[in-house]
Amino acid sequence: MTRTLVFGGARSGKSAYAEKLARESGKEVLYIATAQAGDNEMATRITHHRAQRPAKWATLEEPLRLGDAILRQARPGRLLLVDCLTLWLTNLMFSSGATYPDVGDIALPELFHSERAHLLYALAEIEDTGCDLVLVSNEVGMGIVPYGAISRCFTDEAGRLNQAVAAVCDKAVLVAAGLPLYLKGGPC
């Protein structure tokens, strides 16, 4: 059983690399999608990702309760591919329908805190299941500090989540320009 975090910037090749790991695993693959088609641009992205996946892969759409989905679906001989953690984080941040100020403190919904904690619990709990797990995430903290309180909050929370997930995972791979850089655990 291996837990792998694959992360990188937008269009870095992280999803393609994660899908390559899944294809090469020889295991039954369950793709857990966290995206929601809130507009035409996101619907187009989702369609593109679906078209790239092998038809034999099952898909589970889970925008909020990711920890539960992982615990329910983990079993021997299976690989769970979660794409992606940062969209999931966004879903949680805006789950209450609240609007956020441009300046000042951001009070995130309780669901954000409880589901983030539950995901980390699930990652530890599945260690002995015989199920491999590949998690895709964005690295958003390598550029300028964003304008606006909610954007800065998102960048901070994504960085914190990536650190926490990488600490639990057996492997961590940064993908840039389609090339994997192994940060933890050696080549996958």
Side-chain angles (χ1 to χ4, degrees):
M1 185 255 156
T2 303
R3 296 160 298 181
T4 304
L5 173 63
V6 177
F7 67 110
R11 298 290 182 236
S12 63
K14 62 191 174 295
S15 292
Y17 184 74
E19 290 168 3
K20 176 181 178 278
L21 293 177
R23 275 192 310 277
E24 292 175 354
S25 73
K27 295 187 171 194
E28 169 197 358
V29 176
L30 176 64
Y31 188 101
I32 302 177
T34 63
Q36 295 177 300
D39 59 27
N40 288 338
E41 186 267 339
M42 186 54 82
T44 300
R45 284 177 178 258
I46 291 170
T47 299
H48 173 74
H49 274 272
R50 283 182 183 149
Q52 290 184 303
R53 294 194 294 264
K56 67 180 179 179
W57 289 3
T59 299
L60 173 66
E61 295 182 1
E62 183 47 68
L64 297 172
R65 309 257 183 225
L66 186 54
D68 281 344
I70 290 169
L71 289 172
R72 277 192 325 270
Q73 299 298 330
R75 60 184 65 121
R78 179 179 263 187
L79 182 142
L80 304 179
L81 172 53
V82 176
D83 198 352
C84 85
L85 292 179
T86 39
L87 285 172
W88 172 73
L89 198 69
T90 301
N91 296 341
L92 292 173
M93 290 177 76
F94 291 93
S95 63
S96 69
T99 57
Y100 295 106
D102 286 338
V103 295
D105 293 331
I106 300 294
L108 295 172
E110 178 52 39
L111 186 67
F112 173 90
H113 300 290
S114 63
E115 287 300 319
R116 183 187 183 282
H118 192 58
L119 172 67
L120 296 174
Y121 167 80
L123 296 182
E125 274 300 298
I126 67 161
E127 186 171 13
D128 297 325
T129 63
C131 182
D132 288 344
L133 177 64
V134 177
L135 302 134
V136 177
S137 190
N138 286 280
E139 174 52 64
V140 297
M142 296 176 78
I144 61 170
V145 176
Y147 176 80
I150 192 62
S151 297
R152 286 189 300 276
C153 178
F154 172 76
T155 299
D156 291 347
E157 293 300 336
R160 289 183 188 112
L161 180 64
N162 285 344
Q163 289 180 57
V165 170
V168 175
C169 283
D170 308 292
K171 298 180 180 193
V173 183
L174 174 65
V175 178
L179 301 173
L181 177 62
Y182 308 99
L183 303 179
K184 181 180 180 183
C188 298

